[in-house]
Amino acid sequence: MNGEIVSSIGQGALVFIGICSTDNAKDMEYMVRKILSIRIFDDENEKKWKKSLVDNDFEVLCVSQFTLYNTWKGLKPDFHLAMPSEHSKEFYENFIEMLKSKYKPDKVKDGIFGAYMQVSLQNDGPVTLEIESPAQPEKTSKKTKSAHVNKTTEDTGDLAER
């Protein structure tokens, strides 16, 4: 708070979570499973794309990022596709709890929901991947729940509130 480090990880993944207005529990379950399962790390023989966060016992730092659901109105961003904050806070907190329940709670970190933060990242590769949950039949927007996963090196993911 006030310039202090709120959360920090070593090697692992920095995940920016976008929550769409139509997201539901199935989207949440899919994203948690995907984040923990994707193979974005090298194995012990330096073969690419062989190990997951779980395989390596790495950490994950999650940041709520409603701006992932922007559209454009002229030159200004519009965020009407994002879930309103009065609903997305609970959704995000449930997402973090589910991630902790499926992995190791001490390996899952996050920031302060809705706070203006400075995020420091040392991107390994660099690798940044976008993951979308499969569209549900009732979804009308072109995007569903979104996460941007950034592979990090040691001592790299920091969150400080401004």
Side-chain angles (χ1 to χ4, degrees), residues 1-6 112 114-118 159-162:
M1 305 277 295
N2 300 323
E4 286 183 37
I5 302 289
V6 173
I112 299 169
Y116 183 84
M117 294 177 281
Q118 291 184 332
L159 283 177
E161 186 181 20
R162 281 188 49 173

Side-chain angles (χ1 to χ4, degrees), residues 77-136:
D78 176 85
F79 304 107
H80 74 275
L81 296 177
M83 186 179 286
S85 61
E86 60 270 13
H87 303 293
S88 60
K89 183 176 195 296
E90 179 181 3
F91 192 97
Y92 178 74
E93 289 169 352
N94 290 337
F95 175 83
I96 295 297
E97 288 308 310
M98 182 181 287
L99 197 58
K100 287 179 178 181
S101 75
K102 301 289 184 189
Y103 191 37
K104 297 177 179 175
D106 62 313
K107 298 284 185 181
V108 178
K109 312 287 172 82
D110 69 331
I112 299 169
F113 184 89
Y116 183 84
M117 294 177 281
Q118 291 184 332
V119 181
S120 297
L121 163 68
Q122 185 173 338
N123 201 334
D124 186 16
V127 173
T128 300
L129 306 166
E130 183 174 12
I131 303 169
E132 294 282 344
S133 64
Q136 304 293 323

Side-chain angles (χ1 to χ4, degrees), residues 24-149:
N24 58 45
K26 285 187 178 199
D27 295 308
M28 185 186 305
E29 291 166 7
Y30 175 86
M31 294 305 292
V32 165
R33 187 173 59 252
K34 195 74 163 178
I35 288 166
L36 294 176
S37 302
I38 58 174
R39 295 184 183 129
I40 59 174
F41 298 99
D42 299 352
D43 68 10
E44 51 282 342
N45 298 317
E46 297 185 21
K47 284 193 165 192
K48 303 273 185 219
W49 318 112
K50 295 292 184 183
K51 298 275 189 153
S52 69
L53 283 165
V54 175
D55 294 336
N56 287 327
D57 199 36
F58 286 165
E59 296 175 296
V60 59
L61 176 58
C62 296
V63 178
S64 175
Q65 182 92 25
F66 77 93
T67 59
L68 290 174
Y69 279 100
N70 78 297
T71 58
W72 293 98
K73 287 194 174 182
L75 299 176
K76 291 176 65 176
D78 176 85
F79 304 107
H80 74 275
L81 296 177
M83 186 179 286
S85 61
E86 60 270 13
H87 303 293
S88 60
K89 183 176 195 296
E90 179 181 3
F91 192 97
Y92 178 74
E93 289 169 352
N94 290 337
F95 175 83
I96 295 297
E97 288 308 310
M98 182 181 287
L99 197 58
K100 287 179 178 181
S101 75
K102 301 289 184 189
Y103 191 37
K104 297 177 179 175
D106 62 313
K107 298 284 185 181
V108 178
K109 312 287 172 82
D110 69 331
I112 299 169
F113 184 89
Y116 183 84
M117 294 177 281
Q118 291 184 332
V119 181
S120 297
L121 163 68
Q122 185 173 338
N123 201 334
D124 186 16
V127 173
T128 300
L129 306 166
E130 183 174 12
I131 303 169
E132 294 282 344
S133 64
Q136 304 293 323
E138 69 273 6
K139 298 215 180 213
T140 56
S141 70
K142 65 178 181 140
K143 282 187 147 186
T144 57
K145 185 172 185 60
S146 179
H148 284 239
V149 179

